[in-house]
Amino acid sequence: MANLVLLVGGGVAAYKAVDLASRLTKAGHRVRAVLSQAAGRFVTPITFEAVTGEPALADLWQPGGGEAHIELARWADAMVMAPATADLIGQLAHGLARDAVGTVALASRGPVVLAPAMHHAMWAHPAVQENVARLQSFGYAFVGPERGRLASGEEGWGRMTEPAEIALAVEALLARRAAPGAGAGAAGASEESPLAGRGASGRPGAERGRDLAGRRVVVTAGPTQEPLDPIRFLTNRASGRMGFALAEAARDRGADVTLVTGPTALPDPPGVRVVRVRTAVEMRDAVAAAFDGCDAFVAAAAVADYRPARYSERKLKKSPEPMALELVPNPDVLQEMAERKRHQVLVGFAAETEEDVAEARAKLRRKRLDLVVLNDVTKPGAGFDVETNRVTLVSEDSAEALPIMTKREVADAIWDAVVLRLGARRTTRAER
Ligand code: CTP
């Protein structure tokens, strides 16, 4: 059980931070809330004290509050900022400490997860996106935001992730901190290494730097849609989040990224070449156009295995008779690229309903892959509609089961594995 600091920003979603505090407390953690000045307009420190049984801090200027921010930062094993407003994200990204939350966040020595919440126009602003990317490059973890109804009544990206899922992301950070090889971890992190314990695979985010600079990578994401007639199609539940997280992580590590994605509600990540396609055939063609010049290909798309044998230009009419739908196999994008593979590192996903390393390794051999990301989609915190994932990285000679992590952290762990393999191939690259 851990000591957690909950940093509460000033937004309507602050009321949900109370629920988050309650969940984390019920899970057995000690939770101390810190409220920004603006947060105090939406909720009060007393609410958090009642829910957590711990003192809450809202004002650094209260008597005896002298070094409260440093004491709290030392006490905390991890911090969670929810809601993380545009202002707080900006403060932290630029090393500013304007109130209790900014000050405690800046003094933190352990892992921090941020759950942004703001109007969609603010979230989409390049300044906010740049601040987010800057924090990610320092090793901060993000969960959300989600698309949904915002306080303004409009629909868009900016809604805070639900407390239950933020709590999962916090558990993911804590599990990683405790995992073997995770380094000193937050509690034991030294003053000299403020980011120790952050980032996936025990590798601090800052240490990764731009280790994919000069590399070209191709990522697929999302589902495909296989049309039957002008208004009907076959598809699946993939959201595209895992592939988008892979593209963003590679971009932050300096890669030239092409993201080929099926239909998804996610906005184009800045600084990434995005090719939007609909069907498996279109996806294959777009990937094929980028593949020969790339160094690594990660296939995170949930490509439909079949498509309707016939497409009807006119809407199909109903009749009282039963109707059979004939399906024909789609191209396997990953398999086709594996057949053209020269120097490239290839990574595939295997969505299983039962974790099976032997089956994943058989797929690795069949498709001539370097790595298979085995994903048990039935486990809590893994799969299609959630922000977190729980995977095992399977290669020819190893199987590394990672704890539950945010999709961004899983993405970084995958790129860590790719970087290792790219390094080993530096000499063979020259032979091309
Ligand atoms: N893939 C692809 N094109 C397809 C099908 C799959 O590129 N037409 C890629 C996926 O992006 C994923 C991997 O191949 O990286 C999944 O392989 P697949 O053999 O389809 O496995 P599963 O979907 O896990 O399941 P199954 O073998 O049981 O169909």
Side-chain angles (χ1 to χ4, degrees):
M1 294 305 109
N3 292 346
L4 301 173
V5 165
L6 171 59
L7 302 161
V8 187
V12 182
Y15 80 91
K16 287 192 190 172
V18 179
D19 182 22
L20 177 60
S22 155
R23 283 172 187 274
L24 293 171
T25 306
K26 281 186 193 140
H29 303 299
R30 290 180 67 190
V31 182
R32 292 195 184 163
V34 181
L35 283 73
S36 74
Q37 235 167 22
R41 302 262 182 161
F42 294 93
V43 282
T44 69
I46 296 164
T47 323
F48 288 96
E49 290 184 351
V51 166
T52 63
E54 297 279 346
L57 180 73
D59 183 5
L60 288 177
W61 303 106
Q62 62 205 15
E67 286 288 271
H69 58 300
I70 303 296
E71 276 158 33
L72 262 178
R74 285 217 182 100
W75 174 84
D77 295 317
M79 298 197 188
V80 49
M81 187 187 283
T85 58
D87 182 69
L88 286 174
I89 290 171
Q91 278 194 54
L92 191 54
H94 294 277
L96 301 176
R98 288 196 305 238
D99 66 4
V101 168
T103 311
V104 174
L106 202 60
S108 91
R109 284 282 174 266
V112 183
V113 59
L114 293 90
M118 65 196 76
H119 184 263
H120 63 84
M122 294 165 76
W123 175 248
H125 195 287
V128 173
Q129 287 301 312
E130 208 173 283
N131 287 340
V132 170
R134 192 173 156 83
L135 288 176
Q136 282 174 333
S137 75
F138 294 156
Y140 288 90
F142 279 78
V143 52
E146 312 291 326
R147 190 181 167 82
R149 197 169 177 280
L150 305 175
S152 60
E154 294 163 77
E155 274 274 318
W157 291 93
R159 196 180 155 85
M160 191 171 87
T161 298
E162 288 305 317
E165 240 193 88
I166 301 175
L168 271 177
V170 174
E171 297 296 351
L173 275 196
L174 293 171
R176 273 251 326 292
R177 196 180 48 100
S190 68
E191 297 280 322
E192 293 73 40
S193 58
L195 294 173
R198 287 182 187 149
S201 290
R203 234 178 121 201
E207 205 181 88
R208 290 193 181 103
R210 296 176 63 79
D211 57 3
L212 282 169
R215 300 292 190 177
R216 274 198 207 156
V217 306
V218 178
V219 177
T220 61
T224 62
Q225 284 182 359
E226 309 298 335
L228 195 54
D229 70 15
I231 53 168
R232 302 185 179 98
F233 52 80
L234 302 178
T235 190
N236 59 63
R237 284 175 53 203
S239 67
R241 282 181 191 159
M242 191 61 242
F244 275 59
L246 278 157
E248 287 166 359
R251 172 204 62 199
D252 293 344
R253 293 165 76 154
D256 174 305
V257 187
T258 301
L259 172 65
V260 181
T261 177
T264 137
L266 301 171
D268 286 5
V272 168
R273 191 176 308 106
V274 182
V275 185
R276 298 217 175 236
V277 297
R278 186 174 184 205
T279 64
V281 170
E282 288 169 16
M283 183 171 278
R284 188 264 323 272
D285 294 346
V287 172
F291 182 75
D292 289 335
C294 83
D295 297 290
F297 172 45
V298 182
V303 185
D305 289 325
Y306 296 91
R307 66 178 181 277
R310 277 167 296 279
Y311 172 74
S312 166
E313 298 286 349
R314 296 203 347 236
K315 184 186 161 201
L316 295 168
K317 294 286 177 200
K318 68 172 172 288
S319 88
E321 299 304 314
M323 177 180 157
L325 202 55
E326 193 190 341
L327 301 175
V328 292
N330 260 331
D332 187 317
V333 185
L334 184 55
Q335 180 96 53
E336 287 193 19
M337 296 313 121
E339 279 156 20
R340 293 166 54 165
K341 160 171 162 169
R342 286 155 63 217
H343 55 280
Q344 288 93 345
V345 173
L346 258 57
V347 181
F349 275 70
E352 303 290 344
T353 44
E354 217 174 283
E355 224 176 82
D356 190 341
V357 171
E359 176 54 36
R361 198 162 279 139
K363 185 168 295 179
L364 179 107
R365 289 184 189 143
R366 207 167 49 237
K367 292 199 175 181
R368 294 181 57 214
L369 306 179
D370 296 277
L371 197 72
V372 166
V373 183
L374 177 58
N375 196 350
D376 185 342
V377 289
T378 58
K379 282 210 178 129
F384 293 120
D385 292 327
V386 292
E387 277 286 340
T388 48
N389 211 346
R390 186 183 248 171
V391 302
T392 303
L393 301 184
V394 181
S395 70
E396 186 58 52
D397 46 20
S398 67
E400 189 189 354
L402 302 178
I404 186 168
M405 288 176 168
T406 63
K407 286 187 174 171
R408 171 58 192 240
E409 289 174 315
V410 172
D412 271 315
I414 292 169
W415 289 122
D416 285 349
V418 170
V419 165
L420 276 179
R421 285 164 178 80
L422 282 172
R425 268 173 215 184
R426 247 177 224 290
T427 44
T428 51
R429 263 170 62 79
E431 292 159 16
R432 274 194 269 156

